[in-house]
Amino acid sequence: MISVAHTMLPLSCLQVSKTRADMPLGLRPISHCFHRPSSSFSAFSPSKQSSVRRSLSIRAIDAAQPFDYEAQLYERSEKSVKLKIAIVGFGNFGQFLAKTLVRQGHTVLAHSRSNYSDIATKLGVSFYSDPHDLCEEHPEVILLCSSIISTESVLKSLPLQRLKRSTLFVDVLSVKEMPRHLFLEFLPPEFDILCTHPMFGPESGKNGWAGLPFVYDKVRIGDEESRVSRCTCFLNIFALEGCRMVEMSCAEHDRHAAGTQFITHFIGRTLGKIDLDWTPINTKGYETLLNLRDNTSGDSFELFYGLFMYNKNALEQLERLDLAFESVKKQLFGHLHHILRKQLFQNAEGLEPPQRNNSNVDESSQRQ
């Protein structure tokens, strides 16, 4: 019979795994601290040696243990790329963005003047009818999805004192200088500001966001690593979906958007006033006009009015459009006037009486 003292393992058998050598000793998982016994067991008979090995064999456990340093790092990494985002203004566009945010694993809260609690539940979003309750959840990001003309009143209604002082405020309005000025005026200097414009919506982005432009301006982001990382993490939401990321100042955005967006909406709504319909002989160009009409008519008049009212470049574009319209009309009618004038004089020449022969007149006068 082998005594207990003889079965004690030598310290050389307890070898630390080389892959975990750099970890603090107190955080190493026990499943990686032991190897199979070394050749020092060769003094035992094969049967006894086998039984001892079987009783001391420890296999790795896949489940993370509380003291597993690697699991702790992984958990921290997972948490660092997920945000708690509060959507203020949970209408059509807010719900459209929420679907992607939830799918990417972010925690999404929502608040709106209308009760969207049922829709929020279906989307996996926590809905708060009271903005105080929303802010007490301390979201890392406040995402304003209100209409352009209601942005100021919505911003004033938020109890900013209940938020963390480093909260990141983001807007997704189609105009940029206006929300930038509002943020700088009403938000405490400790708050971060990111002005963005996803240049797509529920209709144009229903089949994915790949290749669609996303414009942003880091108006005010703190120097702390956590705040820079949070801003980057939010922008990565759109980068991961394949958006074409465009960093641009708010003023430059509005100059471009007055032409690319306001004119588009103006032409689309003008076409909506005409009774256009599908025909058996549609051309590709005509179908493009119908699609433009349908895409813009689906947006609210508030959006169209906001594009005009809160983008100082819109009036200039409207005046240019009006001058261009009159110029084309003059070109058409000027050409038509030339044709009519030509036809009129040709007809007049055919109606003139035949000229009298002067020699005959002279002969008759001489006879008299």
Side-chain angles (χ1 to χ4, degrees):
M1 182 174 183
I2 303 176
S3 64
V4 176
H6 290 151
T7 60
M8 295 292 290
L9 296 176
L11 291 178
S12 61
C13 297
L14 307 180
Q15 301 176 0
V16 180
S17 173
K18 293 180 180 179
T19 58
R20 303 299 176 98
D22 296 332
M23 297 182 184
L25 186 59
L27 294 178
R28 295 173 190 155
I30 194 171
S31 61
H32 296 279
C33 290
F34 300 97
H35 287 297
R36 289 187 177 182
S38 66
S39 57
S40 58
F41 282 92
S42 59
F44 298 141
S45 64
S47 60
K48 292 178 181 178
Q49 182 178 345
S50 175
S51 63
V52 173
R53 285 181 176 176
R54 283 197 301 271
S55 63
L56 295 176
S57 177
I58 300 176
R59 300 185 181 275
I61 302 174
D62 291 336
Q65 302 301 313
F67 43 79
D68 192 331
Y69 183 67
E70 186 179 80
Q72 291 178 5
L73 290 179
Y74 178 78
E75 184 179 357
R76 292 173 192 169
S77 174
E78 283 293 295
K79 288 182 178 179
S80 67
V81 297
K82 303 304 177 187
L83 297 172
K84 181 187 285 188
I85 303 173
I87 298 177
V88 178
F90 201 57
N92 192 28
F93 194 75
Q95 296 168 23
F96 168 68
L97 293 180
K99 295 176 184 177
T100 299
L101 299 178
V102 172
R103 178 170 51 79
Q104 289 191 7
H106 300 281
T107 301
V108 182
L109 319 175
H111 163 70
S112 193
R113 290 174 296 182
S114 302
N115 186 2
Y116 293 110
S117 55
D118 292 340
I119 296 177
T121 301
K122 293 178 182 179
L123 296 178
V125 175
S126 300
F127 186 81
Y128 297 85
S129 57
D130 192 321
H132 290 261
D133 296 334
L134 177 80
C135 293
E136 284 181 352
E137 292 296 321
H138 293 159
E140 298 167 87
V141 180
I142 297 289
L143 181 60
L144 284 185
C145 295
S146 56
S147 66
I148 297 175
I149 61 177
S150 65
T151 299
E152 182 174 354
S153 61
V154 170
L155 186 60
K156 289 180 178 179
S157 70
L158 295 177
L160 303 179
Q161 72 279 4
R162 297 185 182 275
L163 295 169
K164 291 182 179 180
R165 289 187 298 171
S166 62
T167 303
L168 171 63
F169 271 74
V170 185
D171 83 285
V172 290
L173 300 185
S174 299
V175 294
K176 293 271 64 72
E177 285 197 277
M178 185 269 281
R180 177 183 181 274
H181 292 156
L182 289 178
F183 282 161
L184 292 174
E185 179 180 358
F186 293 108
L187 295 181
E190 298 84 6
F191 285 9
D192 287 346
I193 299 172
L194 177 66
C195 290
T196 76
H197 182 197
M199 303 197 69
F200 50 88
E203 184 63 28
S204 57
K206 62 183 178 182
N207 297 320
W209 303 353
L212 300 177
F214 180 87
V215 181
Y216 65 95
D217 183 9
K218 298 177 183 179
V219 178
R220 187 174 68 199
I221 305 297
D223 296 332
E224 292 87 344
E225 182 181 352
S226 60
R227 297 166 77 167
V228 174
S229 176
R230 178 181 58 188
C231 177
T232 301
C233 182
F234 181 85
L235 292 175
N236 280 342
I237 293 172
F238 299 88
L240 289 173
E241 297 299 316
C243 289
R244 180 164 56 87
M245 309 298 287
V246 182
E247 187 169 10
M248 179 183 296
S249 70
C250 293
E252 186 179 2
H253 167 276
D254 283 3
R255 284 197 301 270
H256 292 306
T260 61
Q261 195 169 29
F262 174 71
I263 291 297
T264 299
H265 277 261
F266 187 89
I267 296 297
R269 286 189 170 270
T270 302
L271 293 174
K273 300 295 183 180
I274 306 174
D275 190 18
L276 300 178
D277 202 357
W278 290 85
T279 71
I281 54 172
N282 281 358
T283 63
K284 291 296 182 181
Y286 182 71
E287 290 181 359
T288 300
L289 292 179
L290 294 179
N291 290 331
L292 173 61
R293 177 200 63 184
D294 297 339
N295 288 337
T296 53
S297 62
D299 294 318
S300 65
F301 181 79
E302 282 188 344
L303 171 61
F304 179 55
Y305 179 72
L307 292 174
F308 173 73
M309 187 68 181
Y310 294 100
N311 188 338
K312 63 182 181 181
N313 305 283
L315 181 59
E316 178 186 351
Q317 292 294 333
L318 186 58
E319 291 174 348
R320 291 179 60 189
L321 182 64
D322 188 46
L323 290 174
F325 185 74
E326 290 298 326
S327 175
V328 173
K329 283 176 58 178
K330 288 180 180 178
Q331 186 179 7
L332 285 175
F333 286 108
H335 189 68
L336 179 62
H337 176 73
H338 175 71
I339 294 176
L340 291 176
R341 184 174 182 277
K342 185 177 180 180
Q343 292 177 351
L344 178 63
F345 278 98
Q346 284 178 348
N347 293 336
E349 291 175 358
L351 295 175
E352 287 181 358
Q355 295 182 354
R356 298 176 62 180
N357 193 330
N358 293 334
S359 60
N360 294 335
V361 174
D362 294 339
E363 290 179 358
S364 61
S365 61
Q366 290 176 359
R367 288 175 186 176
Q368 293 177 355

